Each structure stands twice: as C-alpha cells, then as structure tokens.
C-alpha cells in the first residue's frame, strides 16, 4: 500500500508560530486535534485520512495542525501513542500489586474486556496499524516503553501466585498478556462478521457479561493448570 504524505506548507511559505493570547492553550489544542484525528483515521484509514477534514472539525487551519505535529504521519504516530498510553495508564491505576494474585488477574481481565468493548476506536486503529505491518509503531520508542509496564505488572502477579501455590511456576507474562488480549480483542475486532455468521448479538449485555465471565475463568484455569 502506498502512503502519500501531505506537504505541510509550500517551500516558500515557512511555518509561523501561532500568535499567543490569553486564550491560547497549547495542550488543549493538541488534545482537540488528537481526538478529531482519531475519528478521521478510524473512518478513513491512514491513507484516506485528510488533514483538511480534521481541521474543519475543530474549526482551525491545516497550518495549525502541521505546526503542532509536523505531518499527517507524525499525527498518526501520536494518535497511536495516545491510545496505547490511555490503556496502559489506566491499568496502572488498578493497583494490581495490592490485590491477591487471583483477584489481580480477574481485575486485569475484566478491565481489558471492558476497555476494548468501550473503546472500539482503539481496536480499529490497532487493526489499521497491522495493515501497515506496524510501520508506525516501529517509529515510536514511547509505545514500546509504555507497553513494557503491563509485562512487569503481570510478571510480579505470576511470581506471587507461584509462591503462594495458586499459579503454576514458569509462566511467561508475555504469553499471558497475549492470551488475555486475544480473547478481549477478537470479539470487538470481528464483532460484525462473527455476529452475522453465527447469528449472535455480541453487543447484547447478557451475551457480553457471559463472555466476560467465561474469559476470566478461562485465563485463570490456564494459570492454575
């Protein structure tokens, strides 16, 4: 797939820092741009997304977006960083280290299930990035660093569980993370095809709660086998 970059400005038209005023709030401006960029990338993909369309949504100029992000591709990288950062930072607030190992795993699985179910845009952006063979994830050291935190957390939970005799020894935290992510991600990424083929309403609350409980028990059985 060929990705066409949008030039930020013409060669003879240098970028100019936006005029500062009392109302100027760079962090809020960046956040607004990122939020609308998520919508555009989810709906159009990376190749089809237009910076003009993002600018129109927040009533700003394309020049302003390029001032903050440099290019469409860099904006997309920062969207990835934001979405991965959101899930990792929320995980850090679960206080898993304060819970007994079994309860910590249960809370992590339930959180992952709920986060994916409520944040379909995250799932879609990850699918888009996989279409691009993780080309833009490779450009971000921040994404790799922030995702190591979940492995560190899982490793500690598994260690405590093995010491207490509730989990078997020798479990790889990356394998466990993959198992949890697979269960929770698939039912969102494939919900339309899966629902149609098997005539099941995956968004139905009763179905959702049944699957949530099933995934928790499946992961715990794997750890305790």
């Amino acid at each position: 797939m060929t990705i066409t970059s949008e030039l930020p400005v013409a060669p003879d038209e240098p970028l100019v820092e936006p005029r500062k005023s009392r109302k100027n709030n760079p962090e809020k401006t960046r956040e607004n741009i990122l939020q609308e960029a998520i919508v555009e990338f989810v709906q159009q993909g990376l190749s089809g997304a237009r910076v003009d369309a993002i600018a129109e949504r927040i009533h700003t100029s394309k020049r302003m977006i390029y001032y903050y992000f440099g290019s469409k591709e860099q904006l997309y990288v920062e969207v990835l960083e934001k979405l991965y950062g959101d899930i990792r930072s929320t995980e850090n607030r679960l206080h898993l280290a304060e819970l007994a190992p079994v309860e910590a795993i249960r809370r992590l699985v339930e959180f992952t299930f709920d986060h994916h179910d409520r944040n379909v845009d995250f799932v879609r952006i990850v699918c888009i990035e996989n279409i691009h063979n993780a080309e833009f994830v490779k450009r971000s050291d921040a994404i790799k660093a922030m995702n190591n935190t979940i492995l560190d957390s899982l490793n500690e939970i598994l260690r405590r569980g093995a010491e207490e005799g509730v989990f078997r020894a020798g479990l790889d935290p990356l394998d466990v993370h993959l198992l949890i992510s697979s269960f929770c991600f698939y039912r969102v990424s494939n919900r339309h095809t899966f629902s149609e083929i098997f005539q099941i309403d995956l968004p139905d609350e009763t179905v959702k709660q049944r699957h949530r409980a099933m995934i928790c028990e499946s992961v715990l059985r794997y750890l305790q086998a």
Side-chain angles (χ1 to χ4, degrees):
M1 182 178 296
T2 301
I3 301 173
T4 57
S5 301
E6 297 183 44
L7 294 176
V9 288
D12 59 347
E13 193 178 355
L15 288 172
V16 178
E17 184 175 351
R19 185 182 302 168
K20 290 183 172 61
S21 71
R22 292 179 184 176
K23 295 183 179 180
N24 185 266
N25 186 333
E27 289 306 313
K28 181 173 175 53
T29 300
R30 282 179 59 86
E31 180 65 21
N32 289 343
I33 293 170
L34 282 171
Q35 291 294 345
E36 293 305 328
I38 291 170
V39 176
E40 180 70 8
F41 287 127
V42 164
Q43 292 180 351
Q44 306 299 333
L46 173 58
S47 300
R50 294 172 55 249
V51 174
D52 281 332
I54 299 169
E56 288 171 9
R57 284 195 180 98
I58 54 176
H59 307 292
T60 190
S61 65
K62 187 164 67 172
R63 176 184 294 277
M64 176 70 78
I65 294 175
Y66 283 129
Y67 170 75
Y68 280 105
F69 296 96
S71 68
K72 183 176 80 170
E73 286 76 14
Q74 183 56 35
L75 175 57
Y76 174 72
V77 169
E78 296 204 33
V79 162
L80 287 169
E81 291 178 347
K82 172 176 172 50
L83 292 175
Y84 275 109
D86 286 348
I87 186 171
R88 298 286 89 95
S89 64
T90 309
E91 280 170 348
N92 290 337
R93 296 196 294 272
L94 297 177
H95 304 293
L96 299 177
E98 301 171 14
L99 301 174
V102 170
E103 184 56 33
I105 291 293
R106 188 179 299 278
R107 177 173 291 186
L108 178 61
V109 172
E110 291 175 346
F111 163 74
T112 307
F113 183 97
D114 292 341
H115 183 277
H116 285 26
D117 184 72
R118 296 167 184 166
N119 295 273
V120 178
D121 287 351
F122 169 74
V123 174
R124 288 177 177 167
I125 288 286
V126 172
C127 289
I128 290 168
E129 181 59 6
N130 274 283
I131 290 172
H132 292 283
N133 301 311
E135 175 186 348
F136 295 92
V137 164
K138 293 173 186 174
R139 301 184 186 184
S140 173
D141 292 333
I143 290 176
K144 300 183 187 76
M146 70 179 67
N147 279 281
N148 282 332
T149 61
I150 185 57
L151 298 185
D152 294 339
S153 180
L154 269 172
N155 189 56
E156 179 61 18
I157 295 168
L158 297 174
R159 183 194 63 77
R160 291 192 290 117
E163 288 179 354
E164 295 176 21
V166 295
F167 296 154
R168 54 194 172 93
L171 290 163
D172 186 329
L174 182 58
D175 291 345
V176 178
H177 177 56
L178 177 63
L179 180 64
I180 296 170
S181 297
S182 314
F183 276 130
C184 299
F185 192 93
Y186 180 88
R187 71 179 306 281
V188 179
S189 66
N190 290 50
R191 65 170 51 175
H192 298 294
T193 52
F194 196 90
S195 295
E196 184 59 33
I197 291 169
F198 297 104
Q199 291 297 290
I200 182 173
D201 185 9
L202 285 178
D204 177 78
E205 194 61 34
T206 301
V207 173
K208 191 161 36 179
Q209 292 306 315
R210 185 174 79 244
H211 288 173
R212 190 174 185 262
M214 177 193 71
I215 292 169
C216 279
E217 295 311 311
S218 297
V219 171
L220 287 171
R221 278 199 299 271
Y222 171 74
L223 301 183
Q224 297 165 339

